[in-house]
């Protein structure tokens, strides 16, 4: 039987993982719909015309709504499910502030670096990778410092800000290019707290798709 929540996703997508993790840790019985990203599904006219004009994954379908952008999906789910949401207007703004930082810097530089390192053909220019890793390190250092003083990103409990920043926290070091515990110990301890949430699973267990061995390491 078709499930109430459908998430278009694939295993390598950390942005989709943010929404998948929210559904899993909220105890929702949801359905993953595989997107064949590596064979160009999101670049085709069908995807861009009918599903998401931005050409991206994830896409959430629920009660006739079709939502894109992981931050919007997380916000929608927090409202609908009453989980991982804000408890005040100030907290709501603070969560939005961190989700914007995540989308612009914390996720996006690492996701691009990892894409080139693991999946791109031809292999990227080393200077491009050096630049992206430098920007990743800058964003990761900011979050590591924040988490030295705070158990969670906003407030004293996990919120959708944590689930957003956790998008790429559980992919293996051979994919991301660094070992979290040795390089960013506060982020590693925080990731462990997230991994202890009921319902947590790693991205390859939660979303469909064949594993691909890193191509350009
Ligand atoms: N800000 C977006 C980023 C989504 C995104 O970049 N998704 C990747 C897969 S992880 C994608 O579909 N990329 C296609 C492209 O950039 O053309 C979000 O948080 O949903």
């Amino acid at each position: 039987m078709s499930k109430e929540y459908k998430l278009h996703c694939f295993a390598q997508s950390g942005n989709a993982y943010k929404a998948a993790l929210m559904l899993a840790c909220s105890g929702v019985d949801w359905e993953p719909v595989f997107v064949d990203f590596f064979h160009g599904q999101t670049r085709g006219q069908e995807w861009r015309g009918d599903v998401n004009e931005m050409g991206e994954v994830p896409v959430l379908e629920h009660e006739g709504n079709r939502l894109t952008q992981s931050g919007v999906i997380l916000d929608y789910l927090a409202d609908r499910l009453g989980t991982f949401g804000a408890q005040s207007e100030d907290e709501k703004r603070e969560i939005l502030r961190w989700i914007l930082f995540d989308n612009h810097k914390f996720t996006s530089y690492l996701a691009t670096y990892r894409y080139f390192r693991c999946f791109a053909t031809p292999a990227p220019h080393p200077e491009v990778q050096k630049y992206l890793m430098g920007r990743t390190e800058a964003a990761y250092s900011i979050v590591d410092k924040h988490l030295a003083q705070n158990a969670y990103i906003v407030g004293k409990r996990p919120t959708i800000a944590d689930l957003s920043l956790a998008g790429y926290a559980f992919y293996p070091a051979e994919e991301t290019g660094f070992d979290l515990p040795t390089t960013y110990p506060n982020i590693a301890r925080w990731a462990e707290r997230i991994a202890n949430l009921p319902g947590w699973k790693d991205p390859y267990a939660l979303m469909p798709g064949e594993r691909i061995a890193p191509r350009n390491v």
Side-chain angles (χ1 to χ4, degrees):
M1 204 176 95
S2 174
K3 305 265 168 69
E4 187 183 341
Y5 289 92
K6 282 190 193 156
L7 182 68
H8 298 259
C9 58
F10 61 97
Q12 285 82 2
S13 171
N15 286 301
Y17 180 60
K18 299 170 186 185
L21 193 55
M22 173 71 174
L23 290 163
C25 292
S26 300
V28 171
D29 189 19
W30 60 285
E31 182 180 333
V33 182
F34 176 64
V35 179
D36 198 354
F37 179 84
F38 293 108
H39 289 102
Q41 189 178 341
T42 57
R43 288 193 294 277
Q45 185 44 40
E46 208 178 310
W47 186 268
R48 296 190 174 211
D50 300 344
V51 184
N52 183 4
E53 64 180 345
M54 293 179 184
E56 293 178 334
V57 167
V59 175
L60 180 78
E61 290 193 68
H62 180 239
E63 289 181 349
N65 295 316
R66 185 175 278 163
L67 296 116
T68 80
Q69 289 297 330
S70 60
V72 170
I73 294 171
L74 288 170
D75 183 61
Y76 175 85
L77 289 173
D79 280 352
R80 298 302 293 237
L81 302 170
T83 53
F84 301 103
Q87 288 178 349
S88 67
E89 280 299 309
D90 282 352
E91 226 181 60
K92 197 173 172 61
R93 262 189 302 278
E94 200 55 13
I95 287 171
L96 177 61
R97 193 169 78 92
W98 279 102
I99 288 179
L100 290 172
F101 180 77
D102 174 46
N103 274 241
H104 182 199
K105 292 185 172 152
F106 188 76
T107 278
S108 90
Y109 288 118
L110 176 63
T112 310
Y113 172 87
R114 169 178 167 263
Y115 176 81
F116 282 146
R117 177 183 166 95
C118 300
F119 312 122
T121 44
H125 193 289
E127 284 302 315
V128 171
Q129 286 298 77
K130 200 170 143 197
Y131 171 78
L132 290 170
M133 187 39 84
R135 297 295 285 167
T136 300
E137 282 165 358
Y140 269 61
S141 298
I142 287 166
V143 174
D144 198 65
K145 190 169 165 217
H146 181 74
L147 290 170
Q149 310 294 333
N150 302 281
Y152 296 102
I153 297 293
V154 177
K156 302 217 177 310
R157 58 181 203 294
T159 67
I160 53 172
D162 296 276
L163 301 185
S164 186
L165 275 94
Y168 286 79
F170 302 105
Y171 287 105
E174 61 166 356
E175 291 186 13
T176 59
F178 56 80
D179 177 54
L180 213 44
T182 45
T183 323
Y184 302 105
N186 299 308
I187 297 180
R189 280 190 283 274
W190 162 83
E192 249 179 72
R193 287 191 279 280
I194 302 298
N196 281 321
L197 293 172
W200 180 90
K201 283 186 184 162
D202 92 38
Y204 286 109
L206 212 47
M207 300 183 295
E210 293 287 308
R211 267 184 108 120
I212 302 170
R215 289 188 175 126
N216 303 312
V217 178

